[in-house]
Amino acid sequence: MRWWAAIVLAAAAAAVRAEPYAGPLFDAHLHYNDEAQQPHPLADVLARMQRSGVRAIVANSRPNDGTRALASARTQAQAGGVVVVPFVRLYRNRADYTGWFKDESIHELVLRELAQGTAAGPYRGIGEFHLYDSADADGPVARKLMQLAEQKDLAVLAHVDDVAVDRLMAHAPRARLIWAHTGIGGAPAARVRALLQRHPRLMGELSYRPGLTDGGGHLSAEWKALLNEFPDRFLVGSDTWINARWQAYETLMREARVWLGDLSPETARRIGWGNGATLFGLER
């Protein structure tokens, strides 16, 4: 009868799981790249956000035209209850992904974009950028952009490994660094904890994060403990880097609501909405 008792206990545990988080969402990692704009015009992407309960987004696109388009759709975005927080992305095309950290023309591009701003107001951050070798975090342009972000109080969205986090923060210890995916390579939770303790202005964005959830879409034990330990240091994101992610946008947001529901209502709202709102001065 032990097997039957195990089934009963499992069913009881499932029955007491909290309902999915139902509050507003801040999507802190969203792309509106050039290949998305024809199949997913502005009306389509804004409607997907509205249906998903997304009330603010960090917009960063390759090239920056997509972010400017989102920022220019102020009437439509406001009607859908969506605030656009624009970031300058470093990429004119895919070739820029691998050498930007030593390319002075990228530094000049960022300066031009910052000077120009957007229809939604000034740019609030830099990125997402990628570093495929942690040593490239010491590249001259990577160093300049981290220091620029620190000076201008711009957030930085960085797709890097855990070693590169330390290197980037060494250039600008008071910069606000959003770690895309909180380490897509799967840095252990203990290593993430150590980095959060070392760098008070580091935040983790949780799209694609290995180990975050179990096979049923609920938080794993170690990540539930980490989120509860640092409720003010994490953000949700969609990472619409390919069109398939736009097509699945509402599913992605529903999945986030499921694991957010495993947290207390206060912690779920912080991670789902409040941390992003606080970071960018929106009404909480």
Side-chain angles (χ1 to χ4, degrees):
M1 292 295 290
R2 288 182 179 178
W3 63 272
W4 178 249
I7 291 174
V8 171
L9 288 173
V16 299
R17 284 200 190 272
E19 290 296 312
Y21 167 70
L25 290 174
F26 193 121
D27 184 346
H29 188 159
L30 181 140
H31 304 292
Y32 191 42
N33 294 331
D34 52 2
E35 63 269 22
Q37 293 167 33
Q38 183 175 359
H40 298 289
L42 284 168
D44 175 74
V45 299
L46 289 168
R48 290 173 187 270
M49 296 173 202
Q50 185 177 21
R51 290 194 297 269
S52 301
V54 171
R55 295 291 172 258
I57 60 169
V58 162
N60 73 106
S61 308
R62 170 189 38 80
N64 287 296
D65 297 354
T67 293
R68 289 194 217 99
L70 284 166
S72 297
R74 297 182 70 182
T75 301
Q76 301 97 306
Q78 288 172 357
V82 178
V83 175
V84 176
V85 178
F87 274 36
V88 180
R89 202 165 193 205
L90 314 188
Y91 305 147
R92 298 158 294 198
N93 50 54
R94 289 190 179 276
D96 286 334
Y97 282 47
T98 54
W100 67 268
F101 51 87
K102 57 183 178 181
D103 184 345
E104 181 58 29
S105 72
I106 297 297
H107 180 230
E108 294 167 359
L109 178 155
V110 171
L111 293 178
R112 285 196 304 273
E113 288 289 344
L114 290 175
Q116 179 180 350
T118 76
Y123 285 102
R124 306 296 303 279
I126 297 172
E128 179 199 21
F129 61 68
H130 298 71
L131 291 172
Y132 300 110
D133 184 332
S134 54
D136 294 334
D138 293 329
V141 173
R143 183 182 301 109
K144 282 183 181 180
L145 291 181
M146 287 300 297
Q147 292 169 350
L148 177 68
E150 183 179 54
Q151 292 161 9
K152 293 187 174 294
D153 198 26
L154 300 169
V156 176
L157 179 60
H159 178 130
V160 298
D161 66 15
D162 56 310
V163 175
V165 167
D166 276 330
R167 288 174 179 254
L168 291 171
M169 294 303 294
H171 303 317
R174 290 195 53 76
R176 296 182 295 156
L177 183 63
I178 301 172
W179 189 7
H181 321 297
T182 317
I184 200 168
R191 172 65 169 150
V192 175
R193 177 180 289 105
L195 287 170
L196 292 171
Q197 291 169 338
R198 184 178 306 146
H199 305 296
R201 303 197 85 185
L202 175 65
M203 300 190 73
E205 181 272 318
L206 294 168
S207 65
Y208 278 114
R209 170 60 225 195
L212 177 67
T213 59
D214 60 23
H218 291 275
L219 286 173
S220 65
E222 65 176 358
W223 274 88
K224 185 174 182 178
L226 191 61
L227 299 185
N228 279 319
E229 186 177 351
F230 297 95
D232 57 345
R233 305 287 292 280
F234 290 100
L235 304 155
V236 299
S238 62
D239 191 11
T240 49
W241 68 285
I242 52 175
N243 289 351
R245 299 283 286 185
W246 273 117
Q247 292 152 18
Y249 189 82
E250 290 150 89
T251 299
L252 295 171
M253 295 296 99
R254 281 196 299 271
E255 290 171 351
R257 290 182 179 282
V258 169
W259 60 256
L260 284 168
D262 293 335
L263 301 165
S264 71
E266 179 183 357
T267 298
R269 187 177 175 89
R270 278 189 183 184
I271 294 171
W273 169 258
N275 292 339
T278 298
L279 191 60
F280 298 106
L282 308 184
E283 185 178 345
R284 291 197 58 189

